[in-house]
Amino acid sequence: MRNPSTLILIVVVLLLGFAGCAGCGTYNSLIEQEEVVEEAWGNVQTAYQRRADLIPNLVNTVRAAGDFEQETLQAVTEARARATSINVSADDLRDPSSLAQFQQAQSQLSGALGRLLVVSENYPQLQATAGFRDLQVQLEGTENRINTARTRYNGAVRQYNTAIRRFPATIFAGVFGHSRRSPFEAETGAQNAPEVDFDS
């Protein structure tokens, strides 16, 4: 018959082995999910970069159309410069204020582009330009890509944030420095329907 202290030692070794295997599995799972979040963030940045790359072509096409409102063109150019000057790395995704600053700059650019497209409707010669129409279609497609990329990013963030809060992962997440990531949030007032006025 075996010594009781030998049985206790075997049980302790088995428990430590099980805990070690569980810890390795959890750690690897968290790393994989963190990489998915970073990939999704890279896709968001790529979509925004595509829009930023289209804007100079759009501005030059509008400018070539002649006597266009320079104030509107200037607003778009400045908004693009602000939006492209803010870089958010994967590490910054843990800081909600960094993401909010990035989001605000991108929203300002979206607003400036929207004003440019609305004002351009008053210029029939511009509307008839094939290059301008092509750029409008590309911008619309890019906005759809941005929305899709943000939605996928938020899904990856949700899975990651859920994973680091579950037991026993929450123990290992704290030990290995895994913390919550910030999702994209709707702009203030986004829940309000836009006012449509056909009289002005």
Side-chain angles (χ1 to χ4, degrees):
M1 183 163 195
R2 292 193 173 164
N3 185 349
S5 61
T6 305
L7 287 174
I8 292 173
L9 181 63
I10 291 172
V11 169
V12 168
V13 167
L14 287 174
L15 287 175
L16 288 175
F18 176 73
C21 288
C24 287
T26 301
Y27 177 79
N28 289 338
S29 175
L30 291 177
I31 291 297
E32 182 179 338
Q33 289 189 25
E34 188 174 47
E35 289 298 319
V36 169
V37 168
E38 290 179 16
E39 177 189 22
W41 177 247
N43 292 339
V44 168
Q45 288 181 313
T46 299
Y48 278 126
Q49 184 62 51
R50 176 181 160 82
R51 179 174 69 178
D53 292 345
L54 285 172
I55 290 171
N57 294 333
L58 180 67
V59 169
N60 289 335
T61 302
V62 171
R63 189 173 281 137
D67 185 30
F68 195 80
E69 298 174 17
Q70 292 301 314
E71 181 180 313
T72 304
L73 290 175
Q74 185 69 27
V76 170
T77 304
E78 289 173 1
R80 178 188 181 273
R82 277 191 304 275
T84 56
S85 70
I86 297 175
N87 295 316
V88 177
S89 70
D91 293 333
D92 294 333
L93 298 176
R94 292 181 176 98
D95 180 18
S97 64
S98 293
L99 190 59
Q101 184 182 16
F102 178 82
Q103 235 179 308
Q104 181 181 17
Q106 294 299 332
S107 294
Q108 289 172 352
L109 179 54
S110 293
L113 277 174
R115 284 189 300 279
L116 173 68
L117 295 176
V118 166
V119 170
S120 70
E121 291 176 6
N122 296 329
Y123 294 83
Q125 75 280 10
L126 179 61
Q127 290 293 321
T129 306
F132 182 75
R133 285 194 312 266
D134 291 346
L135 286 168
Q136 278 185 302
V137 168
Q138 287 185 39
L139 277 172
E140 181 182 343
T142 299
E143 292 299 326
N144 289 337
R145 288 178 186 186
I146 289 170
N147 186 46
T148 299
R150 287 190 301 208
T151 301
R152 288 180 179 160
Y153 169 77
N154 281 350
V157 166
R158 179 191 52 76
Q159 287 182 333
Y160 174 76
N161 287 346
T162 301
I164 65 170
R165 294 178 62 207
R166 285 187 174 158
F167 185 81
T170 189
I171 296 167
F172 298 106
V175 169
F176 293 114
H178 294 278
S179 57
R180 290 180 56 86
R181 299 294 177 101
S182 300
F184 272 97
E185 296 179 3
E187 295 177 32
T188 305
Q191 71 278 5
N192 301 328
E195 185 176 319
V196 178
D197 183 10
F198 291 109
D199 294 331
S200 57

